[in-house]
């Protein structure tokens, strides 16, 4: 596509020019046991997200590895490590995270899922914004156009779905705070 890692949508342009090809997903997955799997490559974002949360878009597919555990009793855990940007002249920017949660049994008329997560972004502060090097998407920049804050994001999320005839109702909450920001923690 046009280089936007947050979206798989592409608008073709340039007449009869050659088109670049974007890879959406390309990974290896190993199921170590029925409840435990490991994946590596360009993978789907592994953390559970509630409802229509827009914190991480549904078509964001990072590069790295993840592991997921799902027990029969409803407990789950996700861990990941992604490469955000590689640099020849400085340390690579990376993202590592852990999510722990519980989901009540599927098929019940009322289903509750709750989760907490912590994500650490390394070598981010003092770097240009990742997507295009210019647009900070609401993050604070210094006079040189570099990110002013580190990113260590603590999240709490939940979703309650009630299935009743003739329809259903889903209520969700997704809170996130950048605890690594020195100021303007948005």
């Amino acid at each position: 596509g046009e280089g936007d890692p947050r979206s798989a949508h592409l608008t073709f342009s340039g007449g009869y020019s050659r088109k670049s090809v974007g890879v959406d997903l390309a990974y290896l997955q190993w199921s170590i046991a029925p409840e435990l799997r490991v994946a590596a490559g360009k993978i789907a974002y592994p953390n559970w997200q509630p409802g229509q949360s827009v914190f991480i878009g549904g078509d964001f597919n990072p590069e790295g590895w993840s592991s997921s555990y799902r027990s029969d009793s409803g407990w789950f855990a996700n861990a990941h490590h992604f490469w955000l940007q590689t640099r020849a002249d400085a340390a690579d920017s990376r993202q590592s995270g852990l999510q722990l949660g519980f989901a009540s049994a599927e098929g019940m008329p009322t289903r509750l899922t709750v989760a907490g997560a912590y994500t650490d972004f390394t070598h981010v502060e003092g770097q240009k914004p990742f997507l295009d090097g210019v647009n900070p998407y609401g993050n604070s920049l210094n006079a040189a156009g570099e990110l002013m804050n580190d990113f260590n994001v603590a999240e709490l999320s939940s979703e309650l779905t009630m299935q009743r005839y003739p329809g259903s109702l889903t209520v969700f909450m997704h809170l996130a705070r950048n605890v690594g920001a020195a100021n303007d923690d948005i």
Side-chain angles (χ1 to χ4, degrees), residues 124-129 136 139-151 178 180-184:
V124 172
E125 184 177 1
Q127 299 297 329
K128 297 282 186 185
N139 295 297
S140 301
L141 300 180
N142 62 22
E146 301 164 336
L147 295 167
M148 288 178 55
N149 292 311
D150 189 18
F151 292 85
N178 181 8
N183 56 20
D184 298 330

Side-chain angles (χ1 to χ4, degrees), residues 1-4 7-13 18-23 59:
E2 296 175 6
D4 186 347
S7 177
H9 301 286
L10 173 67
T11 301
F12 285 105
S13 59
R18 292 183 184 258
K19 307 297 187 232
S20 60
V21 175
V23 177
D59 53 2

Side-chain angles (χ1 to χ4, degrees), residues 112-125:
L112 175 67
T113 305
V114 295
Y118 184 79
T119 305
D120 181 24
F121 294 78
T122 57
H123 306 292
V124 172
E125 184 177 1

Side-chain angles (χ1 to χ4, degrees), residues 42 66 74 108 133 141:
K42 187 155 180 66
S66 72
M108 300 298 289
L141 300 180

Side-chain angles (χ1 to χ4, degrees), residues 79-165:
H80 68 267
H81 183 81
F82 304 137
W83 284 266
L84 297 173
Q85 188 168 11
T86 56
R87 297 181 188 88
D89 58 344
D92 295 347
S93 293
R94 299 175 185 222
Q95 172 186 342
S96 299
L98 176 65
Q99 180 185 54
L100 303 172
F102 176 80
S104 60
E106 291 187 38
M108 300 298 289
T110 301
R111 181 171 167 85
L112 175 67
T113 305
V114 295
Y118 184 79
T119 305
D120 181 24
F121 294 78
T122 57
H123 306 292
V124 172
E125 184 177 1
Q127 299 297 329
K128 297 282 186 185
F130 296 111
L131 183 56
D132 59 13
V134 178
N135 191 338
Y137 294 97
N139 295 297
S140 301
L141 300 180
N142 62 22
E146 301 164 336
L147 295 167
M148 288 178 55
N149 292 311
D150 189 18
F151 292 85
N152 298 318
V153 181
E155 295 178 59
L156 181 60
S157 52
S158 66
E159 177 180 280
L160 177 66
T161 300
M162 296 169 281
Q163 300 283 342
R164 300 284 188 248
Y165 183 77

